[in-house]
Amino acid sequence: MNNTSVSYRVEPHDLAGHRLRITLHIDRPAAEGQTLSLPAWIPGSYLIRDFSRQIESLTVRDAAGARPVRKLDNHTWQVAPGDGPVTVDYVVYAWDLSVRGAHVDQHHAFFNGTSVFLQVHGQSHQPCTVELVAPAGHADWKVYTSLPAAPGRAALKANGFGRYQAPDYDALIDHPVEMGTGQSVSFHAHGARHVMVFTDAPADLDIDRIAADVKSICETQIAFFDPHARRAPFLDSADRYVFMTQVTPAGYGGLEHRASTALMAARGDLPVRGQKDAGDGYRSFLGLVSHEYFHTWHVKRIKPAAFVPYDLTRPNLTRLLWVFEGFTSYYDDLFLLRAGLISETEYLRLLARTVSQVHGTPGRLKQSVAESSFDAWTRYYKQDENSPNALVSYYTKGSLVALGMDLMIRSESAGRASLDDVMHVLWTRYGKAFYMGQQTGVPEDAMADIVQQATGVDLRAFLTQYVDGCADVPLGDLLGAQGISLQWRAPTVPVIGARLRKTADGLVVASILEGGAAHEAGLSADDLIVAIDGIRVDAQPAFDAALIRAAASRRSLHIHVFRQSMLQDYVVRVDHTMHTECVLTRTESAPGPGNVPG
Ligand code: ZN
C-alpha cells in the first residue's frame, strides 16, 4: 500500500469531545531511538504557541508490544531503541476556532498540520503519506485540501477521503485540511483550479458572486507576476488552490499557505443571494482574500532568509516583516482596484483610512517598522493596553512605506519604474524556483540594493528614515506629485484620545492614547465608565452622542469611573485638533490609464 516509510492516519473520532485520533506508522525508525516533535509555532503567525500541549495519551508499539517513549523537552519525544517498524498512537484535542490551530465538532473538522503531524526526525526530507478517514456516521462529509493525492488511481474516494502524499515535512504542515458539509464552489483562473469552501455560512450565501469576484482577483495577480505564461504559482506544489473559510459571528483573519489559505469571515460580511451591494464588510473580505492570495508569491515563495528553512522550535527573527506583510497589505486593496472590484474613489477612501489609523497611533514615533518586525513575537503578537503608545504595525505602516516607495520610484524614474518592478525582481530572484530546489531567501539588508537594481532608483535615505527610523512617510508631498491631495479634517465624532470597549459590566477604557485629552485628564485603561455629566452611562443614547453635544457647546465632559472599586471623577476636554482624519482626493487626472499609483 504505502511506498513511504512514514505514514499518518487522521480520524476525527470524538466530535463532541473535539478529538482527532492520529496513527503514525514508521517503517524504518532510527535504530538508536526515534525522535519525534511537534512545531512550537505555525509559519505566518509569529508567536510560540506550544501546539504539543494539546497532545493526549501518546503511546508507541511495535511487533513485540508496547515500546517505551519519553519526553525530551516540551515538544519532543524519544522512542526507545528497538527492532523493526513502530506505530505511534496519539490523540489531539482540537477546540481552537482560529486559522492557526485545529477545530473539531459535529459540523466539521479543520486542522493545520502543525497541530497534528509529529515530525519524524531524520526523515523530514522524505515523502510521507496521510490517510484521512471520515468520522463514523458522517458519510456526507467531504474533504477540502491542497495536499496532493497519493499515487495510484484508487487513492481517493469521490468525497476526498483516502490517501494523500507530501514530498517532505515542510510541505506536509503547509496544506491545512477542512472536512465537513460546508458549501463549496470551484473555478479556474488562467487554467488553474481553485476551490472555495465555506463552513457554517448562511444557507443563501451568494457563492457564485463570491467565486466570480475572487476569480478576477486571482487572475489579476497571476497575470501580474507572470504576464507571459500566466502560470499559477502553486502548480509547483499542488493541482489546486483551496480557500477554506470558517464563518463566525464576527471573525476576521487569514493564514497563508503554499497552495491554500484558511480564513475567518463574519457572517454579515458575506453577500447572500439577491443582495446587490454588500458594502464595506464584503469589500474587506475580498481584501483579505487578495492579501492571502498575494502571500502565495510573497512570503510562501519569496521569503526572508531568516525563514529558509523555518526553525519550528523557536522564534525566527527578521527585520523584514514590513516587506512581507507591509507590501502585501499595500497590494491587497490595490489588486481590488486593478481587478475592477472597487473604484478609484473607494480605493482612496481605504488608503485614507490606513493613513488615519497609523497617524492616530502614538507608538509610531517610538518604534520603527524594522524593529516592529524583529520584535513581532514578543510585542505585535502580545499586545496589551499600552501597545498603541509603544508599537507600530508593520502591516499598516509597512503598507504606507510601500506606497511611499512606489511613489518615490515613480517620481524619480519619471514614471518608467514602480514598486511592481521590485516585486518582479523579488519573484524572479527568490520566489519562482523556491519549491524547485532554489531555496534562498531575501537577506536582511538587501532591500536597498534590490530596489536599485530593479528600478535604478536609490532609496537608501528613504529606507533609513522611514523603515529604520520612525519618521512619518511624507505622503502629502508624494501623493501631491501624482495629482492626489492629502488633507486632514476634524473627525466626524470628536475624540478624547481613549479607545473604549463594551463589556458585560459596561463601557470600559481599553487604551489611553499618550498625549491625548483622556491622558491629560487622568483616565486610565481598565476604568469602568459609569456616568457622563452626572447621568448614568447606560441611560445615555451613546457615548459618541455625548461627545458630539459637548463639542458643539465647547464644553468639557465630567466622566465618573470606577477604578477597581473606587469611584473617581475626571474632567476631560473634548479635543478638536488631535486625531484628525485623512482625506485623499484626486485633483488631476491620472498620469497613466487607471493608475492610482500603480
Ligand atoms: Zn499577511
Side-chain angles (χ1 to χ4, degrees), residues 318-396:
T318 170
R319 298 172 71 84
L320 290 179
L321 293 181
W322 65 274
V323 173
F324 291 91
E325 291 299 348
F327 282 29
T328 304
S329 298
Y330 173 55
Y331 276 105
D332 57 19
D333 287 340
L334 193 52
F335 270 104
L336 298 186
L337 176 70
R338 290 180 180 181
L341 294 170
I342 58 173
S343 66
E344 186 187 281
T345 310
E346 285 174 297
Y347 175 72
L348 291 177
R349 197 173 54 79
L350 294 174
L351 196 55
R353 197 159 70 185
T354 306
V355 176
S356 306
Q357 243 173 41
V358 173
H359 195 76
T361 307
R364 78 187 197 285
L365 301 174
K366 295 183 189 165
Q367 192 191 39
S368 71
V369 285
E371 290 168 330
S372 176
S373 300
F374 196 76
D375 285 336
W377 299 76
T378 53
R379 303 194 74 185
Y380 190 78
Y381 271 88
K382 290 187 177 178
Q383 296 199 29
D384 59 26
E385 73 286 346
N386 191 46
S387 295
N389 299 319
L391 307 190
V392 69
S393 160
Y394 50 79
Y395 285 87
T396 49

Side-chain angles (χ1 to χ4, degrees), residues 256 291-292 295 325 328 395:
E256 65 277 6
H291 182 99
E292 302 306 338
H295 275 319
E325 291 299 348
T328 304
Y395 285 87

Side-chain angles (χ1 to χ4, degrees), residues 472-488:
D472 285 328
V473 182
L475 291 175
D477 294 344
L478 291 168
L479 283 164
Q482 302 288 326
I484 294 164
S485 91
L486 185 156
Q487 283 158 328
W488 295 95

Side-chain angles (χ1 to χ4, degrees), residues 97-348:
L97 190 58
S98 81
V99 297
R100 305 173 295 260
H103 187 262
V104 170
D105 69 7
Q106 293 89 335
H107 290 181
H108 84 134
F110 166 80
F111 66 84
N112 284 287
T114 36
S115 289
V116 163
F117 297 123
L118 284 171
Q119 181 175 1
V120 178
H121 290 220
Q123 301 191 42
S124 306
H125 298 290
Q126 308 296 320
C128 59
T129 309
V130 178
E131 184 187 4
L132 298 177
V133 180
H138 290 272
D140 55 340
W141 280 27
K142 289 183 181 164
V143 171
Y144 301 91
T145 181
S146 51
L147 257 180
R153 287 177 60 201
L156 297 183
K157 295 186 217 161
N159 59 11
F161 285 98
R163 284 186 306 113
Y164 292 84
Q165 187 167 311
D168 51 34
Y169 186 77
D170 182 52
L172 176 68
I173 57 168
D174 203 18
H175 293 283
V177 173
E178 165 72 23
M179 50 176 89
T181 56
Q183 300 177 53
S184 73
V185 64
S186 66
F187 59 85
H188 285 80
H190 291 308
R193 182 169 159 82
H194 291 67
V195 178
M196 302 190 83
V197 56
F198 293 86
T199 301
D200 298 333
D204 55 350
L205 181 72
D206 195 346
I207 203 165
D208 295 326
R209 172 180 176 181
I210 298 173
D213 291 343
V214 171
K215 176 184 163 123
S216 62
I217 294 169
C218 298
E219 291 200 327
T220 310
Q221 292 193 13
I222 293 168
F224 169 75
F225 280 102
D226 190 357
H228 303 298
R230 303 196 166 190
R231 187 171 191 273
F234 55 84
L235 295 174
D236 59 12
S237 312
D239 66 354
R240 71 193 63 190
Y241 186 94
V242 183
F243 294 93
M244 38 191 92
T245 304
Q246 172 69 48
V247 183
T248 66
Y252 181 83
L255 190 59
E256 65 277 6
H257 299 283
R258 70 185 64 185
S260 59
T261 179
L263 307 169
M264 303 278 286
R267 180 164 279 255
D269 285 354
L270 299 174
V272 294
R273 285 191 295 274
Q275 182 180 351
K276 280 212 157 126
D277 181 26
D280 258 0
Y282 183 46
R283 200 158 30 237
S284 72
F285 173 73
L286 292 176
L288 176 65
V289 164
S290 176
H291 182 99
E292 302 306 338
Y293 197 71
F294 193 83
H295 275 319
T296 317
W297 291 267
H298 195 49
V299 94
K300 293 315 304 188
R301 287 172 179 76
I302 309 163
K303 299 185 192 215
F307 291 176
V308 184
Y310 296 121
D311 180 345
L312 297 166
T313 66
R314 60 171 67 94
N316 291 191
L317 306 182
T318 170
R319 298 172 71 84
L320 290 179
L321 293 181
W322 65 274
V323 173
F324 291 91
E325 291 299 348
F327 282 29
T328 304
S329 298
Y330 173 55
Y331 276 105
D332 57 19
D333 287 340
L334 193 52
F335 270 104
L336 298 186
L337 176 70
R338 290 180 180 181
L341 294 170
I342 58 173
S343 66
E344 186 187 281
T345 310
E346 285 174 297
Y347 175 72
L348 291 177

Side-chain angles (χ1 to χ4, degrees), residues 434-490:
F434 190 81
Y435 291 121
M436 296 178 287
Q438 179 229 58
Q439 302 203 322
T440 50
V442 180
E444 287 291 292
D445 52 2
M447 280 311 292
D449 287 341
I450 291 168
V451 170
Q452 187 147 31
Q453 289 152 13
T455 67
V457 177
D458 181 357
L459 285 188
R460 273 174 191 79
F462 181 96
L463 297 179
T464 301
Q465 248 184 309
Y466 308 114
V467 170
D468 298 319
C470 301
D472 285 328
V473 182
L475 291 175
D477 294 344
L478 291 168
L479 283 164
Q482 302 288 326
I484 294 164
S485 91
L486 185 156
Q487 283 158 328
W488 295 95
R489 68 169 179 215

